[in-house]
Amino acid sequence: MLPKGTKVLSIGLHPRSLDYRTMPEGVTRESLTARIEAANAALQGAGFDIVTCLVDPDPETAGAAVAEALGGHEIGLAMIGGGVRMIPENTLVFERVVNVLLERAPGIRLSFNSSPETTIDALRRWIES
């Protein structure tokens, strides 16, 4: 378990990069953006120290974005969202993100959510209350 106050890098797929024709009914760019913003506000309200990193579905630019987000921060935990992990077309993005994390932040722990709304629970599995 990581101590309270551990800085967390929250990595997710940028809402602009999704094809909403393939999403469940009712999921739009606007609704997903609102869900992400609400989750980030809830994280801050719960006292988590979060650095947010939204990535595009290109392995090179995603890896560069994660490396940039890590710069200057001592990150103890990375939360990788479902859009990066669970969409089969993003397998290379997920792979690149994980490898950048392991290279640039040795000893980092990884956490996974299933939606923006489950992020707090995912972090609480690793960070003391």
Side-chain angles (χ1 to χ4, degrees):
M1 179 122 324
L2 298 168
K4 186 174 184 171
T6 297
K7 190 172 286 290
V8 176
L9 179 61
S10 178
I11 304 165
L13 203 58
H14 200 294
R16 73 170 173 251
S17 64
L18 294 169
D19 180 357
Y20 290 94
R21 296 171 298 182
T22 65
M23 294 291 143
E25 186 176 332
V27 177
T28 64
R29 181 176 175 174
E30 294 77 21
S31 69
L32 182 58
T33 299
R35 289 171 62 200
I36 292 169
E37 289 172 356
N40 287 338
L43 290 169
Q44 290 175 339
F48 289 102
D49 188 1
I50 298 290
V51 174
T52 302
C53 179
L54 295 176
V55 301
D56 290 318
D58 172 72
E60 294 300 320
T61 58
V66 170
E68 183 177 330
L70 285 168
H73 299 286
E74 192 169 321
I75 306 287
L77 179 66
M79 199 294 304
I80 305 173
V84 173
R85 296 185 339 272
M86 297 172 14
I87 298 174
E89 295 81 16
N90 291 334
T91 298
L92 295 178
V93 173
F94 180 45
E95 181 179 90
R96 181 62 53 92
V97 164
V98 168
N99 283 311
V100 167
L101 290 168
L102 296 175
E103 290 169 7
R104 303 274 179 121
I108 196 166
R109 298 289 185 249
L110 303 178
S111 179
F112 308 111
N113 68 1
S114 57
S115 70
E117 294 80 14
T118 64
T119 302
I120 287 180
D121 292 335
L123 298 182
R124 285 185 175 147
R125 290 192 297 263
W126 287 97
I127 296 180
E128 296 174 355
S129 305

